[in-house]
Amino acid sequence: YCDGWQISKNPRYQQIIEETVAWLVREMRDKNGAFYSSLDADSMDENGHSEEGAFYVWQPDDVKALLNPEEFAVASSCFGFDRAANFENPHSGYAGWHPYLARLPEQDEIVLLMNAQTKLFDAREKRIRPGCDDKILTSWNALAIKGLARAGRVFNRLDWVKLAQDAVDFIREKMWVNEQLLATCKNDGNGNYNAHLNAYLDDYAFLLDALIELLQADYRAIDLTFAQELAESLLGNFEAEDGGFYFTSHTHEQLIHRPKQAYDNATPSGNGIAAVALQKLGHILGEPNYLQAAERTLKAFDGSIANNPAACASLCHTLSEFLLPPTMVIIRGEAKQMADWQNVISQTYYPHHIFLYLDEKITDLPATLHRSVEPNVNAWICKGVECLPSVNNLRDLQQLIKQ
């Protein structure tokens, strides 16, 4: 949705992003910053029986009783209450209406629909809540971290970036043990978090990818160090002899079959995300080992990509950036002035660029990113090992980025 908003400026996309982040914080966030796995479909009905959909499903008459006639007329058509029931419990046969956006409201209906939504939400909060699966999974948290970091950068929401940073800090402090990542963690009810199980490829790959996104939203040296540590552990513990990465580490219990998957499923391919993240980190740090590991991965899955590219979208993305490496834009200056540049640049969709905003307080930088801080904001555009002369005018930078 962030990418879609950058391209189209559709306000509906921004609304969806804001509502999604609000839901994550309200329903899924642990008090120490990480995110839980899921909410149950079942909860108790008014008679004390466990019923699938009881928390989420409505009857039109109940909705009508909560709203005034004008609100009900709009909510009925916009949320689908005037259509056939769209939910049936397979066990009891109970039919109900699960609200969805059947149509967008007209301009003069927006306030009525928002009022209706607020009333329905307040009424639903009085129902018995569904159970929460409060285990914390590294890979799923990493996907949330990347989304929050991207949204925070695009919409200049430092509070969203902070949510991403809090989740990263949780994983680094509680699930990164002896330079090994762990896959799952749970609060024992007494404030102690028990992390266990060797992490899988997706945990490492998604988290590394999320850190690269987070570095572009708000550079922290600790995040770049963590990314390097993850990359080294990924290469040392998962890479196959003939290229690519196994789903389980070399120290995992022996399996009948040790998968090495190319295809994307409900979540992206761990191999595709590992390769593209290593590739990006390799360009940021000028580290050939990471770039070569990405190339070996592409060679290992060459047949899969050629035979079924639609199923290998993540690896195709890696291949695209291998053939035409991303442009890195390093921006240095005083924080407030630089924020103005960042706000303007983030309005535009740049899918093949890495932006790093480094204010005057940041001194711990690798050689590839080290630039002196000038009185004005300066930017350097780098492709491969070559960088153009610095630019201190935002409009000139925008023109150069497009070339």
Side-chain angles (χ1 to χ4, degrees):
Y1 277 106
C2 287
D3 296 349
W5 181 85
Q6 286 178 315
I7 294 168
S8 69
K9 301 300 184 292
N10 186 334
R12 175 66 181 151
Y13 293 171
Q14 182 174 355
Q15 180 187 0
I16 290 169
I17 293 165
E18 290 171 349
E19 291 176 349
T20 302
V21 176
W23 178 85
L24 270 174
V25 173
R26 184 182 70 240
E27 304 284 352
M28 306 303 289
R29 189 171 185 257
D30 179 84
K31 65 180 181 180
N32 287 305
F35 295 96
Y36 302 136
S37 297
S38 64
L39 298 178
D40 289 347
D42 294 357
S43 58
M44 295 294 179
D45 63 15
E46 56 193 18
N47 299 314
H49 302 299
S50 179
E51 185 79 24
E52 185 176 347
F55 183 73
Y56 307 97
V57 175
W58 296 85
Q59 294 296 323
D61 287 345
D62 296 332
V63 176
K64 191 172 185 179
L66 290 167
L67 308 179
N68 67 38
E70 293 80 9
E71 291 166 348
F72 179 72
V74 174
S76 182
S77 61
C78 287
F79 287 154
F81 295 123
D82 61 349
R83 306 187 183 197
N86 61 357
F87 175 84
E88 181 177 343
N89 188 305
H91 304 295
S92 67
Y94 168 82
W97 280 255
H98 187 262
Y100 70 102
L101 194 62
R103 72 168 178 87
L104 286 169
E106 301 294 337
Q107 191 65 34
D108 60 346
E109 297 175 325
I110 292 175
V111 172
L112 288 170
L113 186 63
M114 290 177 64
N115 290 342
Q117 186 171 341
T118 299
K119 290 180 180 179
L120 293 175
F121 179 84
D122 291 342
R124 195 187 71 172
E125 284 296 283
K126 298 173 184 176
R127 297 177 177 179
I128 300 173
R129 294 188 64 81
C132 175
D133 182 352
D134 61 356
K135 70 175 177 291
I136 294 163
L137 299 176
T138 299
S139 60
W140 289 6
N141 268 263
L143 293 172
I145 290 162
K146 181 178 181 179
L148 287 165
R150 176 81 63 86
R153 175 162 63 99
V154 169
F155 292 99
N156 190 27
R157 289 290 300 266
L158 299 182
D159 54 332
W160 294 353
V161 176
K162 182 64 165 57
L163 290 172
Q165 290 171 336
D166 288 347
V168 163
D169 292 344
F170 180 98
I171 293 172
R172 188 179 58 251
E173 291 166 10
K174 303 188 185 304
M175 305 179 75
W176 177 247
V177 180
N178 297 325
E179 297 186 349
Q180 299 289 322
L181 198 57
L182 299 175
T184 183
C185 181
K186 189 175 175 67
N187 191 326
D188 65 2
N190 297 314
N192 301 310
Y193 291 89
N194 299 319
H196 67 123
L197 300 181
N198 291 337
Y200 302 94
L201 172 62
D202 289 2
D203 299 300
Y204 278 87
F206 295 174
L207 186 56
L208 179 58
D209 190 45
L211 284 167
I212 293 170
E213 188 68 50
L214 188 55
L215 286 166
Q216 297 179 75
D218 183 23
Y219 182 93
R220 298 191 303 177
I222 193 172
D223 291 334
L224 182 58
T225 299
F226 192 22
Q228 291 176 267
E229 292 170 344
L230 284 172
E232 293 298 326
S233 187
L234 173 63
L235 291 173
N237 289 295
F238 289 87
E239 190 174 18
E241 299 81 0
D242 56 347
F245 300 92
Y246 293 111
F247 184 68
T248 56
S249 69
H250 300 325
T251 58
H252 198 86
E253 63 183 289
Q254 189 171 355
L255 303 175
I256 296 173
H257 169 66
R258 191 180 179 193
K260 192 176 77 168
Q261 182 68 42
Y263 302 126
D264 296 293
N265 290 296
T267 53
S269 159
N271 267 284
I273 299 301
V276 78
L278 284 168
Q279 207 160 243
K280 282 185 168 70
L281 188 62
H283 288 299
I284 291 171
L285 297 175
E287 177 49 70
N289 288 341
Y290 301 158
L291 300 173
Q292 291 162 6
E295 183 178 1
R296 289 193 294 268
T297 303
L298 288 170
K299 289 180 177 179
F301 294 112
D302 176 67
S304 298
I305 297 170
N307 293 330
N308 196 353
C312 301
S314 297
L315 283 166
C316 286
H317 181 195
T318 308
L319 177 59
S320 175
E321 292 203 349
F322 172 77
L323 296 172
L324 186 63
T327 298
M328 187 163 64
V329 183
I330 303 167
I331 301 171
R332 293 226 67 179
E334 188 271 330
K336 187 176 185 307
Q337 288 182 326
M338 198 168 58
D340 295 336
W341 285 43
Q342 185 171 2
N343 293 341
V344 172
I345 292 169
S346 296
Q347 303 292 306
T348 304
Y349 181 55
Y350 294 114
H352 304 298
H353 292 68
I354 299 170
F355 292 93
L356 294 167
Y357 300 90
L358 312 172
D359 66 36
E360 76 281 5
K361 298 176 184 176
I362 298 172
T363 57
D364 185 13
L365 288 167
T368 49
L369 303 183
H370 184 74
R371 301 290 191 281
S372 59
V373 179
E374 304 293 337
N376 298 314
V377 178
N378 277 262
W380 291 261
I381 297 176
C382 303
K383 296 184 178 182
V385 296
E386 296 183 358
C387 295
L388 297 176
S390 65
V391 179
N392 61 12
N393 181 280
L394 177 56
R395 184 171 296 179
D396 291 343
L397 176 62
Q398 289 175 292
Q399 291 298 320
L400 288 168
I401 290 173
K402 294 177 183 177
Q403 294 179 4

